[in-house]
PDB file of all heavy atoms in Angstrom:
ATOM      1  N   GLN A 507       0.650 267.128-130.330  1.00  0.00           N
ATOM      2  CA  GLN A 507       0.225 268.504-129.961  1.00  0.00           C
ATOM      3  C   GLN A 507       1.412 269.358-129.476  1.00  0.00           C
ATOM      4  O   GLN A 507       1.532 270.522-129.793  1.00  0.00           O
ATOM      5  CB  GLN A 507      -0.839 268.450-128.892  1.00  0.00           C
ATOM      6  CG  GLN A 507      -1.370 269.810-128.446  1.00  0.00           C
ATOM      7  CD  GLN A 507      -2.269 270.473-129.471  1.00  0.00           C
ATOM      8  OE1 GLN A 507      -3.445 270.235-129.533  1.00  0.00           O
ATOM      9  NE2 GLN A 507      -1.651 271.294-130.383  1.00  0.00           N
ATOM     10  N   ARG A 508       2.318 268.704-128.729  1.00  0.00           N
ATOM     11  CA  ARG A 508       3.492 269.436-128.220  1.00  0.00           C
ATOM     12  C   ARG A 508       4.463 269.811-129.348  1.00  0.00           C
ATOM     13  O   ARG A 508       5.155 270.801-129.312  1.00  0.00           O
ATOM     14  CB  ARG A 508       4.210 268.556-127.152  1.00  0.00           C
ATOM     15  CG  ARG A 508       3.423 268.421-125.888  1.00  0.00           C
ATOM     16  CD  ARG A 508       4.030 267.345-125.032  1.00  0.00           C
ATOM     17  NE  ARG A 508       5.245 267.740-124.458  1.00  0.00           N
ATOM     18  CZ  ARG A 508       5.499 268.430-123.267  1.00  0.00           C
ATOM     19  NH1 ARG A 508       4.426 268.771-122.607  1.00  0.00           N
ATOM     20  NH2 ARG A 508       6.670 268.749-122.891  1.00  0.00           N
ATOM     21  N   ARG A 509       4.477 268.944-130.386  1.00  0.00           N
ATOM     22  CA  ARG A 509       5.432 269.197-131.493  1.00  0.00           C
ATOM     23  C   ARG A 509       4.930 270.151-132.536  1.00  0.00           C
ATOM     24  O   ARG A 509       5.730 270.661-133.359  1.00  0.00           O
ATOM     25  CB  ARG A 509       5.806 267.871-132.185  1.00  0.00           C
ATOM     26  CG  ARG A 509       6.598 266.954-131.234  1.00  0.00           C
ATOM     27  CD  ARG A 509       6.909 265.610-131.941  1.00  0.00           C
ATOM     28  NE  ARG A 509       8.062 265.776-132.828  1.00  0.00           N
ATOM     29  CZ  ARG A 509       9.286 265.437-132.566  1.00  0.00           C
ATOM     30  NH1 ARG A 509       9.631 264.928-131.337  1.00  0.00           N
ATOM     31  NH2 ARG A 509      10.273 265.616-133.416  1.00  0.00           N
ATOM     32  N   LEU A 510       3.634 270.372-132.558  1.00  0.00           N
ATOM     33  CA  LEU A 510       3.050 271.308-133.531  1.00  0.00           C
ATOM     34  C   LEU A 510       3.274 272.741-133.103  1.00  0.00           C
ATOM     35  O   LEU A 510       2.854 273.121-131.969  1.00  0.00           O
ATOM     36  CB  LEU A 510       1.569 271.010-133.707  1.00  0.00           C
ATOM     37  CG  LEU A 510       1.178 269.740-134.414  1.00  0.00           C
ATOM     38  CD1 LEU A 510      -0.336 269.506-134.311  1.00  0.00           C
ATOM     39  CD2 LEU A 510       1.607 269.729-135.866  1.00  0.00           C
ATOM     40  N   PRO A 511       3.885 273.587-133.904  1.00  0.00           N
ATOM     41  CA  PRO A 511       4.123 274.984-133.500  1.00  0.00           C
ATOM     42  C   PRO A 511       2.744 275.714-133.513  1.00  0.00           C
ATOM     43  O   PRO A 511       1.797 275.279-134.268  1.00  0.00           O
ATOM     44  CB  PRO A 511       4.979 275.484-134.589  1.00  0.00           C
ATOM     45  CG  PRO A 511       4.742 274.636-135.792  1.00  0.00           C
ATOM     46  CD  PRO A 511       4.473 273.255-135.221  1.00  0.00           C
ATOM     47  N   ALA A 512       2.661 276.717-132.742  1.00  0.00           N
ATOM     48  CA  ALA A 512       1.410 277.483-132.630  1.00  0.00           C
ATOM     49  C   ALA A 512       0.925 278.025-133.956  1.00  0.00           C
ATOM     50  O   ALA A 512      -0.286 278.041-134.228  1.00  0.00           O
ATOM     51  CB  ALA A 512       1.561 278.623-131.612  1.00  0.00           C
ATOM     52  N   GLU A 513       1.909 278.394-134.832  1.00  0.00           N
ATOM     53  CA  GLU A 513       1.518 279.008-136.108  1.00  0.00           C
ATOM     54  C   GLU A 513       0.891 277.952-137.046  1.00  0.00           C
ATOM     55  O   GLU A 513       0.295 278.356-138.066  1.00  0.00           O
ATOM     56  CB  GLU A 513       2.746 279.673-136.786  1.00  0.00           C
ATOM     57  CG  GLU A 513       3.899 278.707-137.066  1.00  0.00           C
ATOM     58  CD  GLU A 513       4.943 278.744-135.891  1.00  0.00           C
ATOM     59  OE1 GLU A 513       4.535 279.047-134.779  1.00  0.00           O
ATOM     60  OE2 GLU A 513       6.098 278.404-136.135  1.00  0.00           O
ATOM     61  N   ALA A 514       1.003 276.684-136.746  1.00  0.00           N
ATOM     62  CA  ALA A 514       0.349 275.678-137.588  1.00  0.00           C
ATOM     63  C   ALA A 514      -1.148 275.752-137.474  1.00  0.00           C
ATOM     64  O   ALA A 514      -1.886 275.428-138.354  1.00  0.00           O
ATOM     65  CB  ALA A 514       0.873 274.284-137.244  1.00  0.00           C
ATOM     66  N   GLY A 515      -1.577 276.203-136.297  1.00  0.00           N
ATOM     67  CA  GLY A 515      -3.065 276.355-136.075  1.00  0.00           C
ATOM     68  C   GLY A 515      -3.851 275.076-135.988  1.00  0.00           C
ATOM     69  O   GLY A 515      -5.045 275.091-136.326  1.00  0.00           O
ATOM     70  N   ILE A 516      -3.176 274.007-135.557  1.00  0.00           N
ATOM     71  CA  ILE A 516      -3.905 272.715-135.511  1.00  0.00           C
ATOM     72  C   ILE A 516      -4.067 272.303-134.060  1.00  0.00           C
ATOM     73  O   ILE A 516      -3.048 272.233-133.263  1.00  0.00           O
ATOM     74  CB  ILE A 516      -3.088 271.548-136.224  1.00  0.00           C
ATOM     75  CG1 ILE A 516      -2.881 271.970-137.672  1.00  0.00           C
ATOM     76  CG2 ILE A 516      -3.824 270.260-136.160  1.00  0.00           C
ATOM     77  CD1 ILE A 516      -1.950 271.045-138.447  1.00  0.00           C
ATOM     78  N   SER A 517      -5.300 272.060-133.636  1.00  0.00           N
ATOM     79  CA  SER A 517      -5.575 271.622-132.260  1.00  0.00           C
ATOM     80  C   SER A 517      -5.875 270.134-132.270  1.00  0.00           C
ATOM     81  O   SER A 517      -6.417 269.595-133.239  1.00  0.00           O
ATOM     82  CB  SER A 517      -6.778 272.360-131.724  1.00  0.00           C
ATOM     83  OG  SER A 517      -6.551 273.772-131.717  1.00  0.00           O
ATOM     84  N   ILE A 518      -5.519 269.474-131.165  1.00  0.00           N
ATOM     85  CA  ILE A 518      -5.776 267.988-131.067  1.00  0.00           C
ATOM     86  C   ILE A 518      -6.521 267.719-129.784  1.00  0.00           C
ATOM     87  O   ILE A 518      -6.201 268.212-128.679  1.00  0.00           O
ATOM     88  CB  ILE A 518      -4.480 267.243-131.060  1.00  0.00           C
ATOM     89  CG1 ILE A 518      -3.716 267.553-132.342  1.00  0.00           C
ATOM     90  CG2 ILE A 518      -4.733 265.731-130.959  1.00  0.00           C
ATOM     91  CD1 ILE A 518      -2.338 266.892-132.386  1.00  0.00           C
ATOM     92  N   ALA A 519      -7.570 266.932-129.873  1.00  0.00           N
ATOM     93  CA  ALA A 519      -8.365 266.552-128.707  1.00  0.00           C
ATOM     94  C   ALA A 519      -8.702 265.095-128.800  1.00  0.00           C
ATOM     95  O   ALA A 519      -9.006 264.564-129.857  1.00  0.00           O
ATOM     96  CB  ALA A 519      -9.590 267.401-128.558  1.00  0.00           C
ATOM     97  N   CYS A 520      -8.588 264.373-127.664  1.00  0.00           N
ATOM     98  CA  CYS A 520      -9.182 263.012-127.533  1.00  0.00           C
ATOM     99  C   CYS A 520     -10.493 263.142-126.780  1.00  0.00           C
ATOM    100  O   CYS A 520     -10.662 264.003-125.938  1.00  0.00           O
ATOM    101  CB  CYS A 520      -8.239 262.116-126.825  1.00  0.00           C
ATOM    102  SG  CYS A 520      -6.746 261.661-127.743  1.00  0.00           S
ATOM    103  N   VAL A 521     -11.417 262.270-127.139  1.00  0.00           N
ATOM    104  CA  VAL A 521     -12.773 262.391-126.604  1.00  0.00           C
ATOM    105  C   VAL A 521     -13.325 261.063-126.182  1.00  0.00           C
ATOM    106  O   VAL A 521     -13.125 260.042-126.846  1.00  0.00           O
ATOM    107  CB  VAL A 521     -13.737 262.965-127.733  1.00  0.00           C
ATOM    108  CG1 VAL A 521     -15.167 263.085-127.215  1.00  0.00           C
ATOM    109  CG2 VAL A 521     -13.244 264.258-128.272  1.00  0.00           C
TER     110      VAL A 521
END
Side-chain angles (χ1 to χ4, degrees):
Q507 181 72 87
R508 292 168 68 89
R509 294 180 78 100
L510 290 172
E513 59 267 24
I516 303 172
S517 302
I518 302 176
C520 289
V521 180

